[in-house]
Amino acid sequence: MAGQHRDSVNRRRLLYGGAAAALGGAGAAAWASGAWDAPAAGAATGDHPGYADVVADFGAKGDGRTDDSAAFQAAYAYAEQRAESGTGRTVVLVPPGQYLVTQPGALIDADQPTHQRNGLRFVGGGLRISDIVFAPKSVDEDAGTYLCRNNDTWQNVSFEGLRFTSGTPGASFFSSYSTGGAANYRFTECEWMGEWEYGIALDGSNDNSEMRWEACRVGGAYRRAFLYSGLSKRSTTPEQQDQFLNYWFTDMNVTYEWGDFLEFPYGGSITCRSGSYIVTGRRPTPHPDYGFESAFFRFPRPSHFDGVQRFHAEDIRFELRDDAVVVIDCDWNRGTVHFNDCDDTAHAFKSFSDGLRAHRYTLTGNGPLVRYDSCQLVGNHLYRGTRAANPPVCVRYDMCRLASHPRAQFLALDDSGGGTDFARFVDCVPAG
């Protein structure tokens, strides 16, 4: 096998002109600047030129000490020039190792919305096998400092078997701005570690939709959120940002230190199915809006188009380790929220658990419609605005176990004059 790998690498070096592998980082930088020619697309060889290896082809070291920024920049430049008639033709291979990257945009630096492309794939050796450490020398607190930047250019981008670590606190992983040209991202068996400002920040006025995370681990910490949809820093019409549709999280291990997991100020259609969700600590300093609290799901603005106020969580175990953890805080003025077969009672035996208000909603005359099916629930659920809104029957608990309180004490209201007629309990088992 070792001999076969060497032969494959040698053939690839010949295919790419030999310069990148022979000259290491200097060769990679030379390629990125156009100092030597790329191979012809579709060349008939044993190693199709659509597979670009950042080590064998562009001189990355992967030793955790050498700055491999130039190698990744060269690999991206190669992928960019191989796009044909708007369709990508490149898989970027990241072999086992730890890759130090200091330059923002080294992984993706797309700023040509007039030349939109479709299809780009990054493949690592596996979870905790191929690790990219993003350690910029400084962080721009206003504009952000991102490892990947997609300005209305790429759709259908996938990452597989990679670990991303923030080596500089406050760096961010991915900035995606779209007016229709950025969408369809997929992350499979990836992991995030370190202290980030944003994991993925979405901005623009259309699309940034159809995104999947499968069997990924979200670790580290987030000054704002792992996925923040509706950045509004560049969008000229923030109201049009109600286009965040179809985000799927499946078989996730969400175990991070502090911050928000999903924050959708401009609505969204979101599905989280199966996995374990845990916040392990508290924010080291209070957030100006949330204090020391961290939330898995935060939907802070009320008014959105009907099609982008939909949230579904299923088969998830939430571990609430202290009273600064929030499962959901939703201010939507309509739409639907549905928890099915979820459990947040892992720490129900602790003294603080009875006073938890980890599920929070603001109700209006139009809802939202809130439903819990076959769930095990700790503490109280908080409903705001019930007296002013006089909401219809819009909340239902069906075959749920109320771990901390009898039914009459399970609902908490933020105003003493509101009633609880908005909620129905069907075949629930109260604490007793």
Side-chain angles (χ1 to χ4, degrees):
M1 292 296 293
Q4 293 176 4
H5 177 71
R6 284 194 296 271
D7 290 344
S8 175
V9 170
N10 289 337
R11 288 196 301 272
R12 187 179 284 114
R13 286 178 177 175
L14 290 173
L15 174 65
Y16 287 87
L23 298 179
W31 192 94
S33 66
W36 58 281
D37 293 332
T45 75
D47 291 301
H48 193 281
Y51 289 89
D53 187 313
V54 295
V55 174
D57 303 325
F58 299 107
K61 301 300 182 184
D63 58 12
R65 300 182 303 275
T66 305
D67 188 349
D68 287 325
S69 297
F72 281 92
Q73 289 171 323
Y76 174 71
Y78 174 69
E80 192 175 55
Q81 70 88 31
R82 271 182 50 80
E84 181 180 336
S85 300
T87 301
R89 291 285 187 267
T90 305
V91 177
V92 178
L93 303 176
V94 185
Q98 186 179 68
Y99 299 86
L100 175 63
V101 174
T102 64
Q103 295 302 308
L107 216 61
I108 298 176
D109 194 11
D111 197 23
Q112 294 181 292
T114 56
H115 295 79
Q116 292 181 352
R117 302 172 177 87
N118 205 310
L120 177 62
R121 184 179 173 201
F122 294 86
V123 179
L127 195 64
R128 303 191 182 182
I129 296 175
S130 298
D131 185 7
I132 298 174
V133 179
F134 182 42
K137 293 179 174 58
S138 62
V139 171
D140 188 329
E141 294 185 1
D142 294 325
T145 303
Y146 295 89
L147 177 62
C148 304
R149 297 182 296 217
N150 184 17
N151 176 17
D152 233 0
T153 302
W154 286 97
Q155 295 193 43
N156 289 297
V157 180
S158 67
F159 299 82
E160 303 166 32
L162 288 165
R163 184 185 200 186
F164 305 101
T165 301
S166 172
T168 302
S172 295
F173 170 61
F174 204 123
S175 169
S176 181
Y177 174 82
S178 179
T179 63
N184 295 285
Y185 301 160
R186 184 166 185 162
F187 301 89
T188 305
E189 294 186 348
C190 291
E191 180 178 38
W192 289 264
M193 296 298 293
E195 182 179 330
W196 304 89
E197 179 75 19
Y198 297 96
I200 301 162
L202 307 181
D203 193 358
S205 59
N206 188 20
D207 276 5
N208 261 319
S209 299
E210 316 301 327
M211 300 187 184
R212 296 178 181 272
W213 289 258
E214 299 170 330
C216 292
R217 182 177 187 273
V218 176
Y222 301 90
R223 295 181 177 180
R224 193 71 199 205
F226 171 73
L227 175 59
Y228 189 97
S229 299
L231 197 60
S232 247
K233 286 190 173 181
R234 299 177 58 194
S235 178
T236 56
T237 52
E239 292 77 12
Q240 292 184 7
Q241 291 204 96
D242 280 12
Q243 298 294 324
F244 296 112
L245 304 177
N246 301 332
Y247 300 84
W248 298 281
F249 296 84
T250 306
D251 300 332
M252 298 288 291
N253 179 356
V254 179
T255 305
Y256 63 101
E257 298 173 37
W258 46 267
D260 290 350
F261 174 49
L262 307 183
E263 187 165 351
F264 278 67
Y266 287 91
S269 179
I270 308 144
T271 298
C272 298
R273 182 171 285 115
S274 72
S276 181
Y277 286 52
I278 304 170
V279 175
T280 62
R282 289 188 173 215
R283 294 179 185 268
T285 57
H287 186 279
D289 298 322
Y290 313 131
F292 289 100
E293 288 185 346
S294 299
F296 294 115
F297 314 119
R298 196 181 294 278
F299 310 137
R301 289 181 68 252
S303 180
H304 308 287
F305 298 119
D306 283 351
V308 286
Q309 294 182 104
R310 177 201 159 275
F311 174 76
H312 179 77
E314 182 174 359
D315 301 337
I316 296 175
R317 176 183 178 273
F318 298 98
E319 193 167 306
L320 310 183
R321 294 188 176 182
D322 63 48
D323 59 4
V325 178
V326 176
V327 174
I328 183 170
D329 195 328
C330 179
D331 274 331
W332 289 348
N333 64 346
R334 59 187 69 198
T336 62
V337 176
H338 186 199
F339 286 83
N340 180 37
D341 196 18
C342 293
D343 186 346
D344 65 10
T345 63
H347 288 264
F349 63 92
K350 293 188 176 179
S351 59
F352 66 82
S353 64
D354 287 359
L356 284 174
R357 295 184 175 183
H359 299 246
R360 306 171 182 177
Y361 300 92
T362 299
L363 297 183
T364 72
N366 293 310
L369 303 177
V370 178
R371 181 161 182 161
Y372 290 81
D373 288 314
S374 301
C375 293
Q376 301 188 73
L377 304 168
V378 73
N380 305 103
H381 285 194
L382 174 65
Y383 291 91
R384 300 173 292 235
T386 56
R387 178 168 57 179
N390 189 25
V393 177
C394 58
V395 178
R396 180 179 173 119
Y397 297 86
D398 198 330
M399 295 191 71
C400 294
R401 184 172 76 90
L402 314 180
S404 304
H405 302 286
R407 189 175 68 183
Q409 299 174 18
F410 178 72
L411 301 181
L413 309 182
D414 71 341
D415 53 65
S416 58
T420 60
D421 292 342
F422 59 85
R424 293 288 185 269
F425 293 84
V426 180
D427 297 332
C428 292
V429 178

